[in-house]
């Protein structure tokens, strides 16, 4: 059998029982990457030798009782904006092409302590700016369900790797939907936790007040297990929430009888693809059948989320990305004059989308525009947050689509950036409000492309959305119904 | 010129005396090889995050309380964005919208009387690194050691009208900071630096004139010179029908003149916005009370206590408390040997004289209280006299010698033995028979000469009172 088809914690169990060695698992994973990554290009860096050395060390650690977590021995991919000590971390940008951090991100340390095996650094949109993984300096990642399409983004490499069997699970980052949207497009599960649940230490910032690291995996249980490993307070991140440890795996088992689920009616307006709409409403019906109370409600601020998000994210990005100036590390244009050095390094080092957002951000923070743009966006953000708070006084979770369409064709989105930004309509509000959300696959469209449903929780309500997602998953059995290998069949059935 | 008045406000940057930097655990120690006091956080490497040093907040609050400011209970940091190689993140973490302290003031006293100078705000921020030009390689090198060293900026209201007021304000402020222990305030090392905002206007005018900002003064004297020069420059401009340009100027103390650095038009747009990497800082009533309770005795209280507890004159108390170091030295010495007035005299007279001679600042004093105490005990027990003591003191001051050892080695102990003293008197009488005869003949002022000769014979190492008595006794013996 193909080991790489197993789910992450399933493999963890096999390893613990001694039915598979860590080395076998890692070798099988590396072989799969070797075969498939030529096609999908999920990785910027594959840690071939390191992973094998690590495999033996983990094997010994499992034997001695050092590693006991459910993901001990499991190969995991990490998005390339998360620092890995001694391993280059590029943010998919020319400007950091050869940057090797002297430290690891908090999540990487936690994965390490849990006995996970880091298998590679996943491709992404440059500096996590984009929804397609096409803005990567290292080239686009292809959607494993249809290689003429994008995998979503910005954690497109991570989601595609999980979907294609090139990783059992992956760690992504989500600033405006970057974990959830590619998970939806690739038919996998992804969680964007409450802001502060996972330490941002070592995550190369795009927009600090919105960035949050989250897991991507083939099912809800795997996601919960990985999130349990990477979450918890970190005193190196001042925005980290105080709770030291979170427990998600137990909550999964409970039913959802009586759970109150709200559906924002506005999420189902004109821009939404019909297949997506039908699948998500079908999912809602399934949850109702499982005992949840599902009802529609009005959310007034949805249309303001995108402009507010792009103002705030770009403003923070323009400042966060200023440090890449050619002086200390990374790409440096051969110029003697300081002004020229800055100009050329940044002109040549950043791609189009990064430059566009830096310019937008610089503009909205400029004196004379700050009030009209940035400050107004902050006010909108507060209103959006408040509206969510109100919704959560009536509902335990909210339900809607993750993205308005399934994965577009390669090259389509970047021709019209504004249209691409509008694709973030269901995801960005969650980041603005700092809420947890999960995307679970809930069907295929007429082209056989996966559709994702988003469940949004109240702050620190990860257990609620994980439980609802798990109950849905068990009822719908997406992975059993559909898989990439027999995609053609599915299309004929639809 | 007389019909104009000068309006001055100051921005004082103070480096805080915390052991570690504001957002990481690196040492703040001055000096050190380039780029050895830094880490990925203060160098702003990608992915790193700042964590606020609590001590910085406590120092800033303590300063605010001592300068009668309101403490901002919900305070935030902001980013000040600009590109420069000494700023590795390309933004400085500072405070614009919610500075930690606001609306305070301190009272100053000049010959013109007492006056309160308002403090607009105090905010916390991080220092930048340093650029060093290498003429050999013709390149510029960066040293990040100072990056992230905590600073507070104390912004006054434009309440000062003269050099005297500025200096009085700065001296008072510096004393407060030193007494609080929040900074060593060494101007030479840049841990206390002031920028001057200055404008002139016709006396009686309501509106302020256009102001300039003057930078780069590294002593109080330079500040005084810069103010004199700038007010003269502005008045001359305005008198001749010209106008002052709003700009930043750089003081060149060597040439006693200033140069325009940048005008308002090309002033940078810093694009301040709230720092998203740091949570808002909540300063509770309890925390403020705790900081207040820990506030050390400040100068005014100390002066009063000195007069009361040590029974020393107000004048002494004022001089002794004019520097924290001096006051500490005074108290520590008295603690060992008592004798407050005697200790005070040594500090006020000899110590001050040597400070002036060496051009040192009182804060740089190396004098150890134990040694001054030993010296005073040596005088009290009659082992050395005052003349010798002054010589020994100077050695202690300059070279930190051990006074007892020094006296022994140099043979400076006073001759105590009466027999030896009497022999010395006899030798002097023997050599100066005529003088003795003169005295006996009624020339009483010869007495002083004989005492002096005897002291000389003893190489000064005798108690002059005792020698006096012995010479008198010997002369009386001659009469008989």
């Amino acid at each position: 059998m193909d080991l790489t088809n197993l789910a992450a914690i399933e493999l963890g169990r096999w390893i613990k029982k001694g039915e598979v060695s860590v080395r076998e698992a890692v070798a099988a994973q590396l072989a799969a990457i070797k075969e498939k990554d030529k096609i999908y290009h999920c990785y910027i860096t594959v840690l071939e030798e390191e992973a094998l050395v690590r495999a033996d060390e983990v094997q010994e650690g499992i034997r001695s009782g050092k590693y006991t977590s459910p993901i001990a021995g499991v190969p995991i991919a990490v998005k390339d904006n998360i620092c890995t000590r001694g391993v280059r971390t590029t943010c998919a940008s020319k400007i950091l092409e050869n940057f090797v951090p002297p430290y690891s991100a908090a999540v990487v340390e936690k994965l390490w302590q849990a006995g996970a095996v880091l298998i590679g650094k996943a491709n992404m949109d440059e500096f996590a700016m984009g929804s397609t993984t096409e803005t990567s300096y290292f080239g686009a990642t292809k959607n494993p369900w249809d290689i003429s399409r994008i995998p979503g983004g910005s954690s497109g490499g991570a989601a595609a790797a999980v979907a294609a069997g090139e990783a059992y699970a992956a760690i992504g980052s989500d600033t405006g939907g970057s974990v959830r949207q590619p998970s939806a497009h690739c038919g996998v599960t992804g969680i964007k936790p409450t802001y502060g649940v996972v330490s941002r230490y070592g995550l190369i910032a795009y927009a600090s007040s919105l960035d949050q690291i989250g897991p991507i995996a083939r099912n809800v249980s795997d996601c919960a297990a990985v999130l349990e490993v990477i979450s918890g307070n970190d005193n190196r991140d001042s925005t980290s929430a105080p709770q030291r440890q979170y427990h998600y795996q137990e909550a999964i088992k409970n039913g959802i009888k009586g759970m109150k689920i709200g559906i924002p009616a506005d999420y189902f307006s004109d821009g939404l693809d019909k297949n997506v709409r039908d699948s998500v409403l079908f999912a809602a019906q399934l949850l109702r059948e499982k005992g949840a109370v599902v009802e529609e409600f009005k959310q007034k601020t949805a249309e303001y989320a995108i402009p507010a998000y792009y103002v705030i994210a770009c403003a923070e990005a323009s400042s966060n990305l200023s440090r890449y100036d050619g002086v200390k590390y990374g790409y440096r244009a051969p110029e003697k004059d300081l002004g020229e050095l800055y100009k050329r390094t940044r002109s040549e080092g950043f791609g189009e989308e990064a430059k566009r957002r830096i310019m937008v951000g610089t503009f909205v923070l400029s004196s004379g525009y700050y009030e009209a743009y940035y400050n107004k966006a902050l006010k909108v953000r507060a209103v959006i947050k408040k509206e969510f708070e109100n919704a959560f006084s009536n509902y335990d979770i909210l339900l809607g689509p993750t993205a308005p369409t399934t994965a577009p064709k390669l090259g389509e989105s970047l021709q019209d950036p504004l249209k691409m930004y509008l694709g973030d309509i269901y995801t960005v509000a969650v980041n603005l409000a700092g809420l947890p959300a999960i995307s679970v696959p809930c069907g295929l469209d007429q082209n056989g492309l996966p559709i994702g449903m988003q469940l949004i929780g109240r702050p620190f309500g990860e257990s609620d959305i994980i439980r609802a997602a798990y109950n849905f998953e068990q009822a719908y059995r997406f992975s059993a119904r559909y898989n990439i290998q027999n995609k053609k069949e599915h299309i004929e059935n639809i | 010129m007389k019909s104009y008045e000068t309006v001055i406000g100051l921005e004082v940057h103070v480096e805080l005396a915390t052991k570690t930097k504001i957002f990481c655990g690196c040492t703040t120690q001055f000096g050190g090889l380039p780029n050895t006091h830094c880490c990925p956080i203060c160098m702003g490497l990608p992915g790193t995050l700042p964590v606020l040093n609590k001590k910085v907040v406590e120092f800033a609050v303590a300063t605010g309380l001592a300068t009668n400011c309101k403490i901002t209970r919900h305070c935030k940091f902001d980013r000040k964005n600009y590109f420069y190689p000494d700023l590795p993140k390309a933004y400085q973490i500072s405070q614009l919208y919610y500075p930690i302290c606001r609306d305070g003031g301190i009272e100053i006293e000049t010959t013109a009387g007492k006056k309160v100078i308002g403090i607009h705000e105090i905010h916390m921020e991080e220092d930048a690194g340093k650029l060093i030009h290498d003429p050999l390689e013709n390149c510029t090198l960066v040293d990040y050691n100072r990056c992230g060293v905590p600073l507070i900026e104390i912004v006054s209201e434009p309440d000062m009208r003269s050099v005297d007021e500025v200096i009085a304000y700065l001296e008072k402020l510096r004393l407060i900071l030193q007494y609080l222990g929040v900074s060593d305030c060494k101007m030479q090392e840049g841990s206390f630096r002031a920028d001057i905002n200055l404008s002139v206007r016709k006396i009686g005018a309501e509106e302020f004139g256009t102001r300039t900002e003057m930078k780069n003064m590294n002593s109080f004297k330079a500040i005084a010179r810069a103010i004199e020069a700038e007010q003269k420059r502005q008045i001359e401009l305005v008198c001749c029908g010209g106008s002052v340009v709003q700009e930043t100027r750089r003081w060149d103390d060597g040439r006693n003149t200033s140069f325009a650095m940048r005008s308002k038009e090309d002033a940078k747009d810093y694009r301040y916005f709230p720092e998203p990497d740091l949570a808002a800082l909540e300063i509770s009533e309890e925390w403020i009370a705790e900081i207040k309770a820990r506030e050390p005795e400040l100068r005014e209280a100390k002066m009063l206590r000195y007069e009361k507890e040590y029974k020393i004159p107000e004048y002494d108390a004022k001089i002794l408390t004019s520097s924290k170091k001096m006051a500490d030295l005074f108290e520590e010495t008295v603690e060992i040997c008592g004798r407050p007035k005697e200790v005070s005299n040594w500090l006020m007279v000899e110590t001050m004289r040597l400070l002036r001679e060496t051009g040192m600042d009182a804060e740089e004093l190396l004098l150890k209280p134990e040694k001054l105490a030993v010296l005073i005990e040596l005088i009290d027990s009659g082992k050395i006299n005052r003349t010798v003591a002054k010589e020994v003191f100077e050695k202690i001051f300059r070279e930190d010698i051990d006074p007892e050892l020094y006296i022994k080695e140099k043979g400076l102990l006073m001759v105590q033995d009466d027999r030896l003293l009497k022999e010395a008197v006899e030798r002097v009488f023997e050599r100066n028979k005529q003088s003795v005869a003169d005295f006996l003949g009624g020339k009483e002022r010869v007495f002083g000469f004989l005492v002096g000769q005897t002291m000389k014979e003893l190489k000064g190492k005798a108690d002059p009172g005792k020698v006096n008595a012995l010479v008198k006794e010997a002369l009386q013996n001659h009469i008989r």
Side-chain angles (χ1 to χ4, degrees), chain B residues 232-268:
Chain B
K232 185 159 172 278
R233 190 187 72 88
Q234 288 192 15
I235 292 171
E236 278 170 8
L237 266 174
V238 177
C239 277
C240 301
S243 57
V244 176
V245 179
Q246 187 174 339
E247 62 192 0
T248 304
R249 301 181 67 84
R250 184 184 167 83
W251 178 249
D252 184 335
D253 204 44
R255 297 196 199 162
N256 208 46
T257 186
S258 64
F259 301 93
M261 280 167 71
R262 53 173 184 265
S263 75
K264 193 194 171 193
E265 280 70 45
D266 43 62
K268 290 172 189 162

Side-chain angles (χ1 to χ4, degrees), chain B residues 332-334 336-337 343 368-378:
Chain B
E332 283 162 25
T333 313
V334 172
I336 302 170
C337 70
V343 175
K368 295 195 177 76
E370 300 79 27
K371 294 196 173 167
L372 177 54
V374 167
L375 189 69
I376 288 171
E377 269 157 17
L378 285 168

Side-chain angles (χ1 to χ4, degrees), chain A residues 83 96 99 102-103 195 200-204 208-209 235-239 315-316 318-320 322-324 327-329 338 342 346 362 365-367 370 374 378, chain B residues 40-41 43-52 79 81 83-91 97 137-138 142 144 269-279:
Chain A
C83 287
L96 284 179
F99 176 65
Y103 44 84
Y195 188 78
R200 291 187 296 118
Y201 189 84
L203 167 67
I204 299 182
S208 316
S209 77
N235 58 19
R236 292 167 298 180
D237 174 1
S238 312
T239 62
E316 291 181 16
S318 73
S319 172
N320 283 331
S322 292
R323 71 190 69 191
Y324 311 112
V327 173
K328 304 157 297 265
Y329 45 77
L338 183 64
Y342 283 159
R346 292 170 64 79
T362 305
L365 288 176
S366 298
S367 91
Y370 181 90
Y374 183 75
L378 287 187
Chain B
I41 297 171
M43 292 198 298
L45 289 190
T48 60
L49 295 169
V51 175
L52 180 60
R79 287 188 187 175
N81 297 283
F83 287 96
Y84 205 60
D86 68 2
L87 195 67
K89 297 190 296 291
Y91 57 82
Y97 298 108
E137 301 279 336
N138 192 28
V142 198
Y144 290 127
D269 180 355
Y270 291 120
R271 290 173 282 117
Y272 277 99
F273 75 102
E275 166 57 271
D277 284 334
L278 290 166

Side-chain angles (χ1 to χ4, degrees), chain B residues 72 74-78 94-100 274 279-281:
Chain B
T72 311
H74 180 81
C75 121
K76 282 182 174 174
F77 282 91
D78 300 292
S94 179
Q95 296 190 291
L96 178 71
Y97 298 108
Y98 298 94
I100 188 158
L281 182 59

Side-chain angles (χ1 to χ4, degrees), chain A residues 27 38 41 71 165 175 201 239 292 315 430 460:
Chain A
K38 292 191 291 256
H41 189 225
I71 56 164
T175 308
Y201 189 84
T239 62
V430 168
F460 304 100

